[in-house]
Each structure stands twice: as structure tokens, then as C-alpha cells.
């Protein structure tokens, strides 16, 4: 092996396995492609008519120096008198949209047969959604469920919030790849954590394959859905949807290898509802399935649709 080929020997740096913070940051342009922030807001009109939102909102946001083009009706008299310079008060919509993204990086998510691991696809989709939310003035937080303690980023707005989110995703994913834990801890603890981060009426968006969510998952999810708006991105690998029968070799991160025999998995009908999504619907949670092999280009329009209903 030549010296130039040495870096490729690290399995954690391989494409589809390594999760880069810079790569997630670059999804910003894909998330906003073809979308005008001034026109994307869906008005509360019959038929879901998309209109430009008028006005400046009713909640005070910030006070800043007046610049050419500002409406003089919003001059802040107190700040102007105190400083001797014109200041204006900015406002925002009274609807404070706070969204917590929950990424499942437990051991079962570190699996993939085409393009990427399920955990990487989950991070890509959540990041696209996060960029859309902060681009429209919302606040984004993060919970990463792994084999150890969850990583947490409290909801905040703007590019700084997404810098923290993408950095936390990359760091937590690297830690998950190097964690030898063989079993998935339950996801139930992360639900309680999400509740503490969000106000009543907030939004929780989870990206997971829902492997071994925990014995009390349904009851806790149902109770939480009465307080929060919850959506699920069901991450699905092609192998689990249409697995051929046969013997399949595998390799683990610790270097161990083996062969497993698998039965054939029939490709589900496109019109058939995934039983996991049907189970969530009974708990008051809606979701959609994303295919790992499709990639961010295909996730972007799905996240646009999800963003519109949050």
C-alpha cells in the first residue's frame, strides 16, 4: 500500500460513513433552492393558497439605528432620545416557531448498503429541514440519541444555530462510530428531554428507523403528541425493503467479519402504508419515509413539504 492510499484505509472517513460538519453546512443552498422567503409562507386561506405575508409582525424583536428606507412609523422614541440618533424598533411574527430535531445515531442506525449509512441520511434530511426553518425566522434545536449520553443543542435562530447543530451532528456521529456498544438503548428518554426543550405547541421532528424504540414508546409518544406537534422521518435502506435471499458477508467497525443468512424481503407496494408509520399514526404522529439511497437532492422537496406544515 502506498502512502497516498493510506488515508482511505480508515473506514470512518469513507464516503457515506463519515459525516462532515462542513458538508452539512453546504446543504444550506440546496435547502433554499427555488424558494423565496417573502413568498413561501402559506396563508390561512382555503385551498392552501401561497401568498406574500404582509406587515412586520406584532411582537417587538430588536432596536437598531435607523437606515435609509426604514419606515418612520417604527422609530423608537426612547432609544432615539437616549442616544441622540434615530433608532427603529423591529418586529417579528407573534408565532414563535421552535423546532427540535431528533437524530437517531444508535448502533442500529450505523447500517447501510447503498450510498450511505442510515444515520448519515437522517442527519442530511434533518439538516435540510433545519436550514429551511431558520431561513424563515424559526428557532432550531437538536437532540442526538446514541449509545451514550445524548447530545443537546437548545433551540436558537439564525446561521449560528445551524452551525451549532451541524457541528454537534458531526461530533456525535464520529463518537457513535467509535462506540463498541452492540445494543440500542431505548428512545424513550429522549422524548422526555425533547419536552423540556420545547414550549407547548412546539415541534419535534425525529429521524429514525425505529428499531427497538423501547417498551413504553407508544404510551409516551401519545402523551407527548397532546402537547407537541411531532413528525417522523422514517429512514429506510434498500436492503431492508427488497432483500434477496442468500448469504451475506458483513464487517463491523471493530474489524470482526462474518456471514449471515437472510430470507427474501418482498418489495412493498407503493400504495401500502408502512406498518411503523401506521403505528405512529395511531399515536397521533404523522410521518414520511426517506430512502437512504436517494440522497439530499431528493430529500429537499420532501423537507419543503414538511416545513410548510410545521
Amino acid at each position: 500500500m502506498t502512502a497516498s492510499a493510506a488515508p482511505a484505509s480508515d473506514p470512518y472517513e469513507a464516503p457515506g460513513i463519515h459525516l462532515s460538519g462542513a458538508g452539512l453546512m453546504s446543504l444550506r443552498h440546496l435547502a433554499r433552492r427555488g424558494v423565496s422567503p417573502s413568498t413561501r409562507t402559506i396563508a390561512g386561506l382555503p385551498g392552501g393558497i401561497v401568498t406574500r405575508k404582509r406587515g412586520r409582525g406584532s411582537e417587538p424583536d430588536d432596536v437598531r439605528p435607523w437606515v435609509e428606507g426604514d419606515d418612520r412609523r417604527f422609530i423608537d422614541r426612547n432609544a432615539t432620545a437616549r442616544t441622540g440618533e434615530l433608532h427603529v424598533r423591529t418586529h417579528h411574527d407573534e408565532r414563535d416557531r421552535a423546532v427540535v430535531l431528533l437524530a437517531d445515531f444508535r448502533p442500529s442506525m450505523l447500517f447501510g448498503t447503498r450510498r450511505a449509512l442510515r444515520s448519515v441520511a437522517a442527519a442530511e434530511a434533518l439538516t435540510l429541514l433545519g436550514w429551511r426553518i431558520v431561513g424563515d425566522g424559526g428557532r432550531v434545536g437538536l437532540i442526538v440519541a446514541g449509545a451514550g449520553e445524548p447530545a443537546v443543542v437548545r433551540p436558537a435562530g439564525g446561521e449560528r444555530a445551524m452551525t451549532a447543530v451541524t457541528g454537534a451532528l458531526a461530533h456525535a456521529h464520529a463518537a457513535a462510530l467509535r462506540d463498541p456498544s452492540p445494543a440500542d438503548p431505548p428512545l424513550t428518554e429522549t422524548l422526555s428531554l425533547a419536552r423540556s426543550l420545547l414550549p407547548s405547541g412546539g415541534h419535534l421532528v425525529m429521524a429514525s428507523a425505529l428499531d427497538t424504540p423501547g417498551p413504553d414508546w407508544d404510551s409516551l409518544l401519545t402523551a407527548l403528541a397532546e402537547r407537541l406537534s411531532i413528525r417522523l422521518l422514517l429512514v429506510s435502506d434498500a436492503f431492508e425493503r427488497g432483500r434477496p435471499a442468500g448469504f451475506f458477508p458483513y464487517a463491523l467497525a471493530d474489524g470482526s467479519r462474518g456471514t449471515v443468512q437472510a430470507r427474501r424481503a418482498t418489495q412493498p407496494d407503493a400504495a401500502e402504508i408502512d406498518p411503523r408509520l401506521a403505528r405512529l399514526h395511531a399515536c397521533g404522529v404523522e410521518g414520511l419515509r426517506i430512502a437512504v439511497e436517494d440522497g439530499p437532492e431528493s430529500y429537499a422537496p420532501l423537507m419543503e413539504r414538511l416545513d410548510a406544515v410545521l
Side-chain angles (χ1 to χ4, degrees):
M1 179 180 295
T2 63
S4 60
S9 64
D10 185 354
Y12 301 121
E13 298 297 323
I17 296 177
H18 175 64
L19 190 62
S20 163
L24 294 177
M25 287 290 287
S26 70
L27 294 179
R28 174 180 188 174
H29 304 290
L30 179 60
R32 305 301 300 176
R33 181 183 299 172
V35 178
S36 170
S38 63
T39 59
R40 72 150 306 278
T41 302
I42 295 183
L45 300 174
I49 300 173
V50 180
T51 64
R52 179 169 181 170
K53 197 162 191 177
R54 300 182 182 275
R56 294 173 176 255
S58 60
E59 292 295 314
D61 187 17
D62 194 12
V63 176
R64 59 171 175 78
W66 181 86
V67 296
E68 187 67 32
D70 282 336
D71 193 329
R72 292 180 178 272
R73 292 177 298 172
F74 296 100
I75 291 177
D76 187 278
R77 297 179 180 179
N78 293 332
T80 298
R82 186 172 59 252
T83 63
E85 297 180 0
L86 285 177
H87 278 68
V88 292
R89 181 173 293 276
T90 60
H91 297 75
H92 62 77
D93 187 3
E94 59 273 12
R95 175 179 173 232
D96 179 18
R97 186 167 63 148
V99 182
V100 165
L101 311 174
L102 197 163
D104 186 357
F105 286 174
R106 297 177 303 157
S108 63
M109 289 292 289
L110 307 177
F111 163 80
T113 60
R114 296 185 188 177
R115 193 188 71 83
L117 301 180
R118 293 194 294 187
S119 54
V120 171
E124 292 169 340
L126 289 177
T127 299
L128 284 166
L129 180 61
W131 277 123
R132 294 193 62 86
I133 292 166
V134 299
D136 293 328
R139 296 185 295 127
V140 171
L142 174 72
I143 300 174
V144 180
E149 290 294 320
V152 178
V153 176
R154 301 192 70 84
E159 184 174 343
R160 181 176 298 180
M162 284 306 298
T163 300
V165 165
T166 55
L169 283 169
H171 180 77
H173 195 263
L177 288 173
R178 288 168 169 78
D179 192 320
S181 301
D184 285 351
L187 281 172
T188 47
E189 292 185 6
T190 61
L191 291 183
S192 300
L193 185 55
R195 180 172 183 172
S196 69
L197 293 177
L198 285 167
S200 181
H203 303 272
L204 174 64
V205 180
M206 304 178 291
S208 171
L210 286 187
D211 295 331
T212 61
D216 300 323
W217 174 256
D218 286 4
S219 59
L220 290 175
L221 196 62
T222 301
L224 191 61
E226 296 178 355
R227 183 176 180 270
L228 302 176
S229 168
I230 305 177
R231 296 292 187 273
L232 173 77
L233 304 177
L234 184 65
V235 185
S236 174
D237 185 83
F239 184 77
E240 59 185 309
R241 296 195 310 273
R243 181 181 63 246
F247 292 88
F248 297 91
Y250 66 86
L252 302 179
D254 61 5
S256 60
R257 297 174 179 272
T259 304
V260 62
Q261 183 179 11
R263 296 181 179 180
R264 180 179 180 83
T266 57
Q267 187 76 18
D269 189 343
E272 182 181 353
I273 299 177
D274 189 291
R276 291 168 293 184
L277 293 178
R279 179 181 175 186
L280 285 171
H281 181 75
C283 298
V285 176
E286 300 300 328
L288 57 88
R289 186 170 63 188
I290 61 171
V292 174
E293 64 273 17
D294 288 346
E297 288 279 353
S298 295
Y299 303 157
L302 296 177
M303 296 308 100
E304 180 179 356
R305 285 166 43 198
L306 180 56
D307 178 34
V309 300
L310 290 179

